[in-house]
Amino acid sequence: DIAKIASANLSWEKLSGKTVLVTGATGFIGSFIIHSLMKKWEDEGLDVKILALVRNADRARAAYGEYEAKGRLSFLVQDVCQPLPTDEKADFIIHCASNAAPKEYSLYPVETMKTNFYGTLNLLDYAKAVKAESFLYVSTIEVYGTTHGVDRIDEDTYGEIDAMKVRSCYPLSKKGCETLSISYADEYGLNVKIGRLSYIFGPGMKAGDSKIVAVFPKCIADGENIVMKSKGEQLRSYTYVTDAITGLLTVLLDGESGNAYNIASKLCITTIAGIAHTLVESYPEKGLKVIFDLPTEAEAKGFSL
């Protein structure tokens, strides 16, 4: 997967001699970005360096120690909610850091909003101070909320997000950060782009990830029935991580400032129940079933819109 991203037809030359700051560096998306850039360096000699913003240095070194030893990667160890020092300059910034799991939204809505608001503000202030060439805000298609009578969501679609639902802490704060980002572009001339990710899946997801694209396959692997807490009729676009990362890098390098881009796949549109049934049907030898069970009130708080 990483080799495929590194071999994609992108404007890689724009990164030559540059430093790329990646927040959320040990997360699902951030780690793929870093390994892909380092693969491009290893295979083709792209002269790019990484500044990885992390909270846990030991965990980060376990993942990227070889790159650090070769002088290709350095760590900025801090909470993204704190202002960034400007003594080390990054030319490109990819801001991935965010709570990204339904369980986190429901249990820690305040922390979810703080991470999004303060983290994005600090990154934009840093980008302004160091005069970064390009800033990519990694957002989500959840900013569209609930749409009615719309077959296809484009970048100009506007849906409803109920501000009185705790679950809205994630899409509303992400949407607010989009506005903050383009405001920096307008007022300060920052080259800001927004990549709205659909529902991403692929290798490297954590075993404890509460998103259904991680939970359902784990059930199959563990020989357990898939228990649905709703009818699962929500129609969504799912995107394989390789395509998602390639899309993000395309937006970073060639996207227009002040614009948002949906990163999704029309080849993988299905319902939540559809994923469950497909997985069960793909492994008939396991004799598993899809079981529908109504959620508790606490569980329902973490459901997607």
Side-chain angles (χ1 to χ4, degrees):
D1 294 290
I2 291 169
K4 184 175 181 180
I5 297 169
S7 65
N9 184 23
L10 303 178
S11 301
W12 296 105
E13 69 280 359
K14 294 182 180 180
L15 296 177
S16 181
K18 306 297 184 179
T19 296
V20 181
L21 168 62
V22 181
T23 70
T26 56
F28 182 42
I29 299 300
S31 61
F32 258 93
I33 290 173
I34 290 175
H35 283 301
S36 299
L37 293 176
M38 291 294 90
K39 181 69 172 173
K40 194 69 176 179
W41 162 68
E42 291 176 335
D43 289 356
E44 301 180 31
L46 179 67
D47 183 20
V48 61
K49 293 184 178 181
I50 304 293
L51 177 58
L53 193 152
V54 300
R55 286 182 296 178
N56 189 314
D58 292 336
R59 178 184 172 192
R61 285 195 169 88
Y64 308 123
E66 60 178 305
Y67 305 139
E68 182 186 30
K70 295 176 181 177
R72 283 287 139 185
L73 181 146
S74 58
F75 295 109
L76 179 57
V77 184
Q78 69 163 81
D79 190 320
V80 73
C81 291
Q82 299 300 319
L84 278 67
T86 56
D87 52 338
E88 189 164 0
K89 178 180 181 297
D91 305 288
F92 291 80
I93 299 169
I94 305 176
H95 181 29
C96 306
S98 175
N99 285 347
K103 185 177 180 180
E104 293 177 338
Y105 313 152
S106 60
L107 293 178
Y108 308 109
V110 174
E111 289 77 8
T112 295
M113 298 188 81
K114 281 184 175 181
T115 298
N116 288 336
F117 286 142
Y118 295 148
T120 304
L121 176 63
N122 289 329
L123 264 294
L124 287 166
D125 280 338
Y126 171 83
K128 176 174 172 282
V130 301
K131 296 181 173 57
E133 294 180 29
S134 183
F135 180 99
L136 173 61
Y137 180 60
V138 180
S139 190
T140 170
I141 60 171
E142 285 203 27
V143 299
Y144 294 109
T146 302
T147 56
H148 302 281
V150 177
D151 294 328
R152 182 175 181 271
I153 293 175
D154 61 23
E155 285 79 0
D156 296 320
T157 300
Y158 301 96
E160 301 172 358
I161 304 177
D162 188 348
M164 296 307 294
K165 288 185 177 180
V166 172
R167 175 60 177 77
S168 298
C169 67
Y170 179 67
L172 277 178
S173 57
K174 296 292 280 189
K175 193 167 188 173
C177 289
E178 287 192 4
T179 304
L180 181 63
S181 297
I182 64 168
S183 296
Y184 267 72
D186 181 76
E187 186 170 345
Y188 301 118
L190 282 183
N191 185 13
V192 171
K193 302 91 177 277
I194 297 167
R196 293 172 177 160
L197 291 177
S198 63
Y199 298 90
I200 310 303
F201 68 97
M205 302 189 78
K206 298 175 183 177
D209 196 318
S210 59
K211 294 188 286 294
I212 62 103
V213 287
V215 173
F216 288 0
K218 188 175 186 301
C219 288
I220 300 297
D222 293 343
E224 299 175 353
N225 291 325
I226 295 178
V227 180
M228 297 282 299
K229 289 293 185 177
S230 71
K231 292 181 180 180
E233 296 175 340
Q234 303 97 314
L235 191 64
R236 295 173 171 175
S237 173
Y238 295 87
T239 305
Y240 191 63
V241 65
T242 303
D243 300 319
I245 301 304
T246 303
L248 286 175
L249 292 174
T250 299
V251 174
L252 173 74
L253 297 172
D254 292 321
E256 295 182 359
S257 182
N259 280 351
Y261 298 85
N262 288 340
I263 299 175
S265 173
K266 63 182 180 180
L267 301 177
C268 194
I269 298 176
T270 186
T271 62
I272 295 175
I275 292 178
H277 285 297
T278 297
L279 283 168
V280 167
E281 293 166 4
S282 297
Y283 298 91
E285 70 278 6
K286 290 181 175 286
L288 302 177
K289 299 178 181 179
V290 178
I291 299 174
F292 292 86
D293 186 28
L294 292 178
T296 65
E297 183 177 346
E299 289 170 331
K301 286 174 60 180
F303 283 5
S304 296
L305 301 174

